[in-house]
């Protein structure tokens, strides 16, 4: 059987067999470990990192099937960190006082207006009235949190605690919001007070671990998560604990170097202090340029860790083709370099862009926007992919299939956006997403087009 025919038959089988793990061998020797591969026009579509990547078929040498493995504990499946969700109101709180029945945003606001008559001040309310207001504000804070409106959520949680400073769910969710806003030190201060009162509170212990991990204090995160697991074991926390232990092992003996906006850990055997200083200087310079471009400075110190290739793959469980990772911190393999190379500069710029876009959009930017912007900022162009993208666009039914993810497609769509509109419009789009606006409404507000209309316009532009 010819190689092309064998590959075609295998691809036709893959398209009807979801839930599998596939090893894709590319011409040139690279190997990719992906999932749920299927043929789609001139591309091989494979699930990866929470999206779909497209690989031109002329780059594929062969494919091996195997049963789908269980996800590795602690594996990061997204280029950016997932936001922590707020705790819902316990049933006894949601039905307390007059807030009975089905509580919605509208009914919560109406009840707040009813309690807060024009002449009322908190001191004039009964204890029951203050408690009910606290619950209602917390409910609205949760709604804001789930829509990525973090500033609004923080204000609402503060309002809840003004009326009832001891409302536990509001205290915990305020800490959660601080972590989602990359304000770990603020979260730690609040959690220390809470844990001094309730040392066995499992959620507070879990959040303390998250905050310490975000601040780069891996040992402390492990200690807090071990305490949490001893009280109330949970699979999600165990996965994060296992990952933190891998990171600690990989980072044992690392040196530290700090700059104005960055804190870097690095293996002194893999990178000299001089190289670390050069990288920090480049990051500071790049941060200044990117922050001006996106009219946004990330909150807090940005954590950076440099590994050997082997340590990076072991600690992060990334595929062997990954050159860097942003999971709330910038992590990248850099072993053996004596100076800052153009390739390393591109990877640093790519991951730093993820950091800024994540911060500006409050984690609400979809993967194609994240990866498209990061590729543009590192200096890539879609010129070599336009013909293949046009063929794939037509093969997948035009705009109907244009929302699937691939790196060339993401790059091309962002380049089209910037050619048609501007950096300022892109910043407005990220601002809308950062306020919790969905992608379709954000596009309509900034461009006047729906998201589907944008995809159609992009596809048609590939003829040019």
């Amino acid at each position: 059987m010819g190689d092309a025919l064998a590959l075609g038959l295998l691809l036709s089988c893959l398209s009807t067999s979801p839930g599998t793990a596939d090893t894709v061998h590319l011409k040139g020797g690279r190997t990719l470990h992906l999932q749920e591969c299927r043929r789609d026009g001139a591309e091989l579509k494979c699930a990866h990192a929470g999206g779909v990547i497209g690989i031109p078929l002329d780059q594929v040498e062969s494919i091996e099937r195997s049963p789908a493995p269980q996800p590795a504990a602690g594996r990061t499946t997204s280029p950016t960190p997932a936001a922590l969700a707020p705790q819902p109101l316990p049933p006894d709180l949601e039905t307390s006082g007059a807030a009975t029945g089905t509580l919605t945003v509208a009914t919560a606001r109406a009840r707040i207006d009813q309690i807060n008559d024009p002449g009322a001040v908190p001191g004039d309310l009964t204890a029951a009235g203050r408690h009910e207001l606290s619950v209602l504000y917390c409910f609205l804070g949760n709604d804001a949190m789930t829509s990525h409106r973090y500033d609004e959520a923080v204000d609402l949680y503060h309002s809840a605690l003004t009326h009832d400073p001891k409302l536990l769910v509001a205290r915990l969710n305020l800490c959660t919001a601080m972590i989602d806003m990359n304000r770990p030190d603020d979260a730690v201060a609040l959690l220390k007070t809470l844990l001094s009162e309730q040392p066995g509170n499992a959620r507070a212990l879990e959040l303390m671990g998250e905050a310490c991990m975000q601040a780069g204090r891996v040992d402390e995160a492990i200690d807090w998560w071990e305490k949490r697991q001893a009280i109330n074991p949970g699979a999600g926390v165990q996965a994060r604990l296992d990952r933190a232990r891998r990171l600690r092992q990989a980072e044992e003996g690392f040196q530290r170097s700090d700059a104005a906006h960055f804190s870097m850990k690095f293996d002194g055997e893999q990178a000299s202090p001089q190289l670390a200083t050069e990288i920090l200087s480049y990051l500071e310079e790049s941060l200044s340029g990117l922050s001006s471009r996106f009219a946004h400075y990330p909150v807090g110190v940005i954590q950076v860790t440099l590994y050997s290739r082997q340590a990076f793959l072991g600690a992060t469980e990334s595929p062997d083709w990954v050159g860097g990772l942003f999971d709330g911190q910038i992590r990248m393999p850099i072993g053996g370099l004596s100076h800052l190379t153009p390739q390393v500069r591109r990877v640093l710029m790519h991951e730093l862009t993820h950091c800024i876009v994540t911060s500006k959009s409050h984690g609400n930017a979809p993967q194609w926007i994240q990866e498209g912007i990061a590729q543009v900022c590192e200096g890539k162009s879609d010129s070599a992919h336009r013909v293949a993208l046009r063929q794939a666009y037509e093969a997948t039914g035009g705009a109907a299939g244009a929302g699937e993810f691939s790196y060339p497609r993401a790059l091309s769509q962002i380049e089209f956006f910037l050619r048609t509109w501007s950096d300022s419009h892109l910043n407005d789009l990220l601002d809308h997403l950062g306020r919790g606006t969905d992608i379709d409404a954000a596009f309509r507000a900034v461009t006047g087009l729906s998201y589907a209309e944008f995809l159609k316009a992009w596809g048609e532009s590939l003829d040019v």
Side-chain angles (χ1 to χ4, degrees):
M1 184 182 294
D3 290 343
L5 179 56
L7 178 59
L9 288 175
L10 179 53
L11 289 172
S12 67
C13 293
L14 289 173
S15 67
T16 59
S17 305
T20 60
D22 303 303
T23 301
V24 180
H25 299 283
L26 302 182
K27 295 175 181 177
R30 292 179 65 193
T31 298
L32 307 181
H33 301 286
L34 303 166
Q35 290 184 315
E36 298 184 21
C37 293
R38 57 185 172 83
R39 183 172 183 168
D40 194 340
E43 287 186 315
L44 179 67
K45 296 288 183 62
C46 302
H48 176 67
V52 178
I53 65 172
I55 304 170
L57 289 180
D58 60 9
Q59 296 181 19
V60 178
E61 181 70 35
S62 62
I63 304 170
E64 298 175 18
R65 285 178 63 80
S66 62
Q70 294 299 314
R75 176 162 182 166
T76 301
T77 58
S78 171
T80 56
L84 296 175
Q87 282 195 316
L89 296 178
D92 61 321
L93 287 185
E94 190 166 336
T95 58
S96 64
T100 56
T102 301
L103 191 58
T104 66
V105 170
T107 59
R109 293 192 183 280
R111 179 57 181 160
I112 288 173
D113 291 340
Q114 183 182 10
I115 297 174
N116 285 327
D117 64 71
V121 296
D124 295 335
L125 296 172
T126 65
R130 290 194 297 273
H131 173 74
E132 186 179 351
L133 277 176
S134 182
V135 170
L136 293 168
Y137 279 120
C138 184
F139 175 84
L140 293 177
N142 287 0
D143 176 73
M145 274 274 285
T146 55
S147 298
H148 301 273
R149 306 192 311 272
Y150 295 111
D151 291 327
E152 180 184 344
V154 167
D155 290 342
L156 288 164
Y157 291 138
H158 279 304
S159 295
L161 295 173
T162 296
H163 293 285
D164 184 355
K166 295 299 182 181
L167 186 67
L168 181 59
V169 65
R171 296 174 74 184
L172 290 169
N173 287 350
L174 176 59
C175 295
T176 304
M178 295 297 183
I179 294 170
D180 281 338
M181 296 173 73
N182 197 31
R183 293 166 56 181
D185 292 339
D186 292 335
V188 166
L190 294 170
L191 288 164
K192 281 183 176 178
T193 300
L194 199 159
L195 285 168
S196 69
E197 303 166 8
Q198 301 182 35
N201 187 295
R203 177 62 174 175
L205 292 168
E206 178 181 348
L207 291 175
M208 185 66 96
E210 292 285 352
C212 290
M213 196 70 187
Q214 190 176 74
R217 303 195 295 271
V218 180
D219 285 341
E220 292 180 48
I222 290 172
D223 288 342
W224 289 113
W225 279 335
E226 286 177 342
K227 291 176 182 177
R228 195 276 192 195
Q229 290 297 82
I231 293 172
N232 183 19
V237 176
Q238 188 62 49
R240 298 198 293 278
L241 176 57
D242 291 342
R243 184 172 188 270
R245 287 168 174 161
R246 291 196 303 274
L247 291 171
R248 179 172 66 179
Q249 182 178 3
E251 298 166 13
E252 186 176 0
F254 274 24
Q255 301 178 38
R256 181 179 291 277
S257 183
D258 297 326
H261 300 95
F262 296 88
S263 181
M264 178 185 290
K265 292 184 290 185
F266 62 98
D267 185 345
E269 295 182 359
Q270 301 293 328
S272 67
Q274 291 78 16
L275 176 59
T277 299
E278 191 177 354
I279 289 173
L280 283 173
S281 177
Y282 175 73
L283 285 171
E284 287 286 353
E285 177 185 340
S286 300
L287 178 63
S288 177
L290 288 173
S291 295
S292 295
R293 178 172 185 173
F294 292 103
H296 180 79
Y297 252 105
V299 175
V301 174
I302 300 170
Q303 305 292 327
V304 183
T305 308
L306 310 178
Y307 304 85
S308 69
R309 165 60 64 175
Q310 183 177 1
F312 173 80
L313 296 177
T316 65
E317 294 194 325
S318 296
D320 57 9
W321 52 270
V322 170
L325 177 70
F326 177 71
D327 60 358
Q329 302 180 25
I330 296 173
R331 305 182 190 276
M332 60 181 295
I334 200 168
L337 290 181
S338 59
H339 63 281
L340 191 55
T341 65
Q343 172 62 22
V344 172
R345 288 175 183 268
R346 288 193 293 271
V347 175
L348 288 168
M349 178 65 78
H350 186 107
E351 303 307 333
L352 182 57
T353 302
H354 279 317
C355 176
I356 292 175
V357 172
T358 298
S359 178
K360 185 176 179 69
S361 68
H362 286 150
N364 198 31
Q367 188 181 16
W368 73 267
I369 288 181
Q370 276 277 1
E371 294 298 346
I373 294 175
Q375 290 178 90
V376 165
C377 288
E378 70 168 291
K380 288 185 176 180
S381 169
D382 74 344
S383 57
H385 304 287
R386 290 178 64 83
V387 173
L389 286 170
R390 179 64 192 181
Q391 292 172 346
Y393 178 81
E394 293 174 345
T396 56
E404 288 194 357
F405 176 80
S406 74
Y407 284 92
R409 182 179 288 116
L411 171 61
S412 181
Q413 288 171 347
I414 289 297
E415 284 197 299
F416 169 71
F417 185 101
L418 292 174
R419 285 194 303 268
T420 307
W421 293 282
S422 66
D423 277 5
S424 178
H425 287 90
L426 183 58
N427 285 340
D428 287 345
L429 183 70
L430 293 175
D431 282 334
H432 277 280
L433 293 171
R435 292 192 292 270
T437 309
D438 66 58
I439 189 68
D440 191 67
F443 261 92
R444 290 181 184 278
V446 174
T447 69
L449 302 180
S450 68
Y451 179 46
E453 289 169 337
F454 164 79
L455 293 176
K456 183 174 184 293
W458 162 75
E460 292 173 348
S461 77
L462 295 172
D463 280 336
V464 179

